[in-house]
Amino acid sequence: MYDYLIVGAGYAGSVLAERLARDSGKKVLIVDRRPHLAGNAYDHPDAAGILVHKYGPHIFHTNSKEIFDYLSQFTEWRAFEHRVLALVDGQLLPIPINLDTVNQLYGLDLDSAGLEEFFAKVREPVAHIRTSEDVVVSTVGRDLYEKFFRGYTRKQWGLDPSELSAGVTARIPTRTDRDDRYFGDTYQSMPRHGYTRMFENMLDHENITIQLNTDYRDVKDAVPYREMIYTGPIDEFFDFRFGKLPYRSLEFRHETHDREVFQPRPVVNYPNDFDYTRITEFKYLTGQQHPKTSIVYEYPRAEGDPYYPIPRPQNAELYSQYQALSEDTPGLYFVGRLASYKYYNMDQVVGQALTLYAKIAQKKGGWKNTAAPVPA
Ligand code: FAD
Ligand code: UDP
């Protein structure tokens, strides 16, 4: 008899499996329908022996010491600050927009104070920021919005920024100095031996049984268990009872090139040209030395594996119907990016899973209950 059947061996499922087994001595069966651990963070050596991320670039960043310390039990780290260029008007310019972006784009020589004045002139005041268009035009004005955000967003989401909640483009800061890092978080690192190795270490426990290539629907009636933790798409779990929740998908085109370096930064974004949104060169992320180099193109798709929940009010409303249903089912927990229908980064999913673990442990009483951080 298993105490828990956990569906999905990504961050959400693996953190809960680890905590329940190691901290509470529970017996856990974790299943994933894919042939590997780590969910969308899965990495592996490709045919050339270069470590690549199968489902697109994954860069770890967090402001939470608790989350960083938790994962540090399972990996060493390699410090890595991510940097991105965007191809705009024939030039490769830093994104997030900063002092150099504006000076190079318009041939100006502003300092930070000058850039603040520039933004003050071009920004369009918006009384209530609701959409992803509002966020950008109210900060940097319409021309920069159109050059850097409108085309990229329409391509990535199949929607205009005015149709998406503010949080989508609000992920990208605006800077008036020359800081060209993509993230501003306190901790920015890559697992030294890759994500998959970190997950293997996390799940290496005598109380954890792993079954890959297994849909939970094929085992749920055959295997005895007390409670279930589900980390897949929430609408699928309930057989799309209230209708399908929209997810955005991607097609990944992986290539290896017979030269040492492909592009000048780890990622180059293509907001206005080509069908892909960005190209990632993996050796920058991992620090691997190799005479060849491997890259991945991302082509946004309406159909395919669900990668992104689509943040907009009508989808949040549909999700809340599923959420209400999920809260009505004792002994069943929903956690993670697809089960919560939230555009979460890896660290936020770790935080959400640790918080759920603390709740479960507290409810049962009598277990050793380690403090859980609040999700970032
Ligand atoms: P998942 O990783 O999706 O795991 C869920 C698992 O459940 C999957 O493996 C799935 O196969 C399994 N499953 C579903 N249904 C069933 C079923 N019926 N039976 C059995 N198994 C099932 N975050 C960052 O912090 N930094 C980044 O740079 C970053 N880049 C990203 C780039 C891309 C292209 C994408 C798509 C995401 C990126 N993320 C990034 C987000 C990150 O991938 C997620 O936050 C994280 O992987 C979510 O973990 P999860 O466990 O919730 O879900
Ligand atoms: N975005 C954009 N132009 C860019 C980078 C980002 O318009 O050059 C917008 C776009 O809507 C994108 C969102 O900001 O989907 C979030 O970008 P991020 O790089 O965080 O996306 P992710 O890595 O999650 O795909």
Side-chain angles (χ1 to χ4, degrees), residues 6-14 31-42 53 55-61 82 156 171 183 195 199 211 213-218 230-233 236-237 248 250 252 278 298 306-308 335-340 342-350 352:
I6 299 186
V7 182
Y11 276 95
S14 299
V31 302
D32 203 300
R33 60 186 171 194
R34 287 171 167 169
H36 57 72
L37 302 176
N40 285 337
Y42 173 67
H53 300 179
Y55 305 100
H58 279 70
I59 295 131
F60 187 80
H61 55 102
H82 190 39
Q156 167 73 9
R171 290 165 62 88
F183 307 112
Y195 289 100
F199 277 76
Q211 250 178 262
N213 298 301
T214 304
D215 195 299
Y216 82 100
R217 284 168 291 209
D218 298 334
Y230 179 84
T231 75
E236 185 184 322
F237 184 89
R248 193 70 174 157
L250 291 172
F252 301 102
R278 59 186 175 191
E298 290 171 59
Y307 292 124
Y308 292 84
V335 57
R337 173 152 146 152
L338 301 173
S340 320
K342 296 279 179 326
Y343 188 177
Y344 279 154
N345 291 325
M346 296 182 278
D347 64 320
Q348 292 171 298
V349 173
V350 173
Q352 190 197 24

Side-chain angles (χ1 to χ4, degrees), residues 224-250:
Y225 62 89
R226 291 196 172 84
E227 301 200 320
M228 187 196 290
I229 293 167
Y230 179 84
T231 75
I234 188 165
D235 55 339
E236 185 184 322
F237 184 89
F238 291 112
D239 298 321
F240 310 104
R241 191 176 305 187
F242 304 119
K244 272 195 161 188
L245 273 169
Y247 294 91
R248 193 70 174 157
S249 192
L250 291 172

Side-chain angles (χ1 to χ4, degrees), residues 266-310:
V267 169
V268 175
N269 286 356
Y270 293 85
N272 307 309
D273 311 286
F274 309 105
D275 291 339
Y276 43 85
T277 49
R278 59 186 175 191
I279 301 177
T280 299
E281 184 166 3
F282 289 106
K283 287 198 302 179
Y284 283 104
L285 273 49
T286 59
Q288 187 176 357
Q289 302 291 315
H290 198 289
K292 296 185 181 183
T293 195
S294 292
I295 59 170
V296 67
Y297 297 79
E298 290 171 59
Y299 294 87
R301 295 280 183 258
E303 301 297 327
D305 279 359
Y307 292 124
Y308 292 84
I310 304 179

Side-chain angles (χ1 to χ4, degrees), residues 60-93:
F60 187 80
H61 55 102
T62 189
N63 283 315
S64 163
K65 181 174 186 315
E66 289 89 338
I67 290 168
F68 189 71
D69 286 349
Y70 171 74
L71 291 176
S72 303
Q73 299 174 81
F74 313 108
T75 188
E76 291 165 32
W77 299 96
R78 168 179 181 266
F80 173 72
E81 292 187 319
H82 190 39
R83 287 181 166 80
V84 180
L85 296 173
L87 181 67
V88 170
D89 291 352
Q91 296 193 70
L92 287 174
L93 302 170

